Amino acid sequence: MRAVTAFARLSPPPRLVDWSILALVVAEVASGLLSFTVGTPDGWYVLWFHRVAGITLAFLLCLKLYRVRNRIRYGEHWERSTALSILTAVVAIATLATGIAWALGAVSVESRVLYWTVLSVHVGLGLALVPLVLAHVSTRFSVPRRSDFADRREAIRYAGLFAAGALVVRGQETAAETFDTSGSKRRFTGSKPVRGEGNGSFPITSWVADDPDPIDPEAWTLSVTGLVERPVELGYGEIDTESEERALLDCTSGWYTVQEWQGVRVGDLLDSVGVSGEAEWVRFVSVTGYRWSLPVEEARDALLATHVGGERLAHGHGAPLRLVAPGRRGFQWVKWVERVEIREENDPAQWLVTLISGFD
Ligand code: HEM
Ligand SMILES: Nc1nc2c(c(=O)[nH]1)N[C@H]1C(S)=C(S)[C@@H](COP(=O)(O)O)O[C@H]1N2
Ligand SMILES: [Mo]
């Protein structure tokens, strides 16, 4: 108990705690979503910040809950906003708990809530937290004062909290490296390995709602159009399957797999149609409308795969043809590709399209 009191005495002033919780929630959602764009280890710091700020937020939340404990326990001054406050606290704790459980390896990729991994539940809770925290703050609005920020002691306290968060994260990593023999090693993105080869060895995942009917390869064609000299439309039999590449597919729902992919190198496809000088982007479009664009130079190294692990692609994995984009997160590996468009412009609307394609 004395330790708790000492901890509470270290606490920054209540108004400052409240505003920093809000700021950290916003920073967590921003860094969490930004982490979805990170596919190669040079973006490690986005995840590092997310983890450290998450632990710092957990400290601050403890301080805050300790401060308001009597109000909760005795139900003093129950108002309509009290229910909102409690809901906000529950969702905040659940967000932290799912994030920490994931990082600690307390749950695996196979632990599902309905269809979702615990990491996806974490993301959903995190998104729900934003409107809750904003509503909660607006019912108990107290404007921050200059003196809240001007105090050097407070700045030092906050730096200390953040440093403690960084120590916790480092300690967890060291402990995992030392004791974790269960093979639950995460990538720097937080994703956990799914082992095996071929169609049956990794999950079928749609970003949101894409679920087309199986495609008859005989009735399907691939068109290559846009800023090219000789647009073409290829049948399944005309797709070259000579290029092979071992590549890592890392889904934002928290799993990754390394597979041997086989198909046509996009660079070879581009050379066969003759790309014009203004070309900057290559857009891959699915039969469902789902699409993603890559810069031309990067696209050249990508593969349009017909096979995985020596087997013809299964429908769920994008047959007859799916994009394999090493270094990109899974949601950018467009499945069921039917159009390749060479363009001058990038395509910001792709973000929205991937979220809504598949809904009628
Ligand atoms: C809404 C968007 C969010 C996304 C996309 C997201 C994403 C992630 C990811 C990918 C991880 C796994 C990191 C790892 O295993 O190393 C993670 C962990 C974590 N997240 Fe989030 N998150 C979001 C929101 C939040 C929010 C709002 C909070 C805080 C309230 C939070 C707190 C945490 C914590 C504490 C961890 C575990 C850190 C650790 O112990 O290493 N996240 N999150
Ligand atoms: N057309 C289309 N392509 C898609 C998706 C989708 O929903 N529609 N999901 C993406 C996501 S989120 C991932 S992780 C990978 C998963 O590939 P898999 O189902 O072969 O494992 O496909 C990507 N390609
Ligand atoms: Mo994904």
Side-chain angles (χ1 to χ4, degrees):
M1 207 53 215
R2 188 166 295 163
V4 174
T5 324
F7 182 57
R9 211 178 303 126
L10 274 178
S11 174
R15 203 170 42 239
L16 189 53
V17 171
D18 290 355
W19 281 96
S20 26
I21 288 176
L22 173 64
L24 278 174
V25 167
V26 170
E28 283 298 84
V29 171
S31 59
L33 293 178
L34 187 61
S35 83
F36 284 3
T37 67
V38 174
T40 51
D42 52 359
W44 63 272
Y45 54 88
V46 176
L47 273 297
W48 179 85
F49 174 84
H50 186 79
R51 300 183 69 199
V52 174
I55 302 300
T56 308
L57 183 52
F59 293 151
L60 287 171
L61 201 62
C62 289
L63 288 173
K64 164 138 190 171
L65 291 174
Y66 182 73
R67 189 181 88 217
V68 301
R69 69 193 179 286
N70 290 336
R71 268 192 259 160
I72 298 168
R73 197 185 298 154
Y74 305 118
E76 288 170 43
H77 322 297
W78 271 79
E79 301 161 32
R80 219 170 328 139
S81 62
T82 312
L84 177 63
S85 303
I86 290 174
L87 181 63
T88 308
V90 168
V91 174
I93 291 166
T95 307
L96 288 166
T98 46
I100 291 170
W102 183 263
L104 288 181
V107 290
S108 70
V109 177
E110 286 79 35
S111 329
R112 301 273 171 149
V113 180
L114 301 178
Y115 157 88
W116 292 284
T117 60
V118 172
L119 186 61
S120 294
V121 172
H122 170 73
V123 174
L125 288 166
L127 290 172
L129 198 52
V130 178
L132 284 174
V133 170
L134 287 176
H136 171 69
V137 167
S138 69
T139 63
R140 315 202 156 240
F141 191 75
S142 64
V143 185
R145 304 200 185 140
R146 260 197 86 178
S147 60
D148 288 346
F149 300 97
D151 192 335
R152 238 184 78 215
R153 249 183 346 194
E154 298 309 340
I156 292 169
R157 265 186 198 153
Y158 271 89
L161 277 179
F162 197 81
L167 271 179
V168 169
V169 166
R170 187 70 209 117
Q172 188 273 326
E173 283 166 358
T174 309
E177 281 157 25
T178 316
F179 304 112
D180 192 357
T181 52
S182 67
S184 74
K185 282 225 181 308
R186 289 170 302 143
R187 257 192 118 208
F188 73 97
T189 58
S191 294
K192 303 179 186 192
V194 166
R195 297 183 205 284
E197 268 178 51
N199 286 300
S201 65
F202 60 105
I204 287 171
T205 308
S206 276
W207 177 230
V208 183
D210 255 24
D211 184 21
D213 289 331
I215 296 164
D216 173 7
E218 299 310 315
W220 167 95
T221 58
L222 174 72
S223 69
V224 187
T225 60
L227 301 170
V228 300
E229 283 149 27
R230 302 170 297 279
V232 288
E233 191 158 340
L234 303 168
Y236 187 74
E238 296 169 283
I239 306 281
D240 204 344
T241 59
E242 267 164 32
S243 295
E244 280 182 5
E245 181 160 350
R246 243 183 132 62
L248 185 152
L249 167 57
D250 181 346
C251 174
T252 50
S253 69
W255 57 268
Y256 73 89
T257 184
V258 178
Q259 297 286 335
E260 193 73 39
W261 306 91
Q262 192 188 329
V264 59
R265 184 75 55 193
V266 175
D268 293 341
L269 199 60
L270 296 189
D271 289 341
S272 73
V273 293
V275 171
S276 93
E278 306 97 75
E280 301 273 354
W281 295 87
V282 181
R283 178 157 82 178
F284 301 89
V285 188
S286 170
V287 298
T288 65
Y290 191 106
R291 61 190 200 230
W292 205 264
S293 292
L294 299 177
V296 172
E297 282 318 306
E298 183 184 353
R300 285 187 163 278
D301 290 333
L303 212 62
L304 279 166
T306 51
H307 290 70
V308 64
E311 307 162 3
R312 235 169 128 150
L313 273 181
H315 165 62
H317 291 306
L321 197 68
R322 73 99 44 89
L323 180 63
V324 169
R328 295 284 183 151
R329 297 303 290 275
F331 69 91
Q332 294 155 324
W333 294 36
V334 183
K335 299 193 280 194
W336 311 294
V337 173
E338 66 169 359
R339 277 175 6 232
V340 174
E341 301 168 353
I342 291 78
R343 296 156 41 94
E344 199 176 345
E345 307 285 311
N346 191 6
D347 179 19
Q350 66 196 1
W351 285 98
L352 184 64
V353 171
T354 54
L355 294 177
I356 62 176
S357 81
F359 288 108
D360 298 314

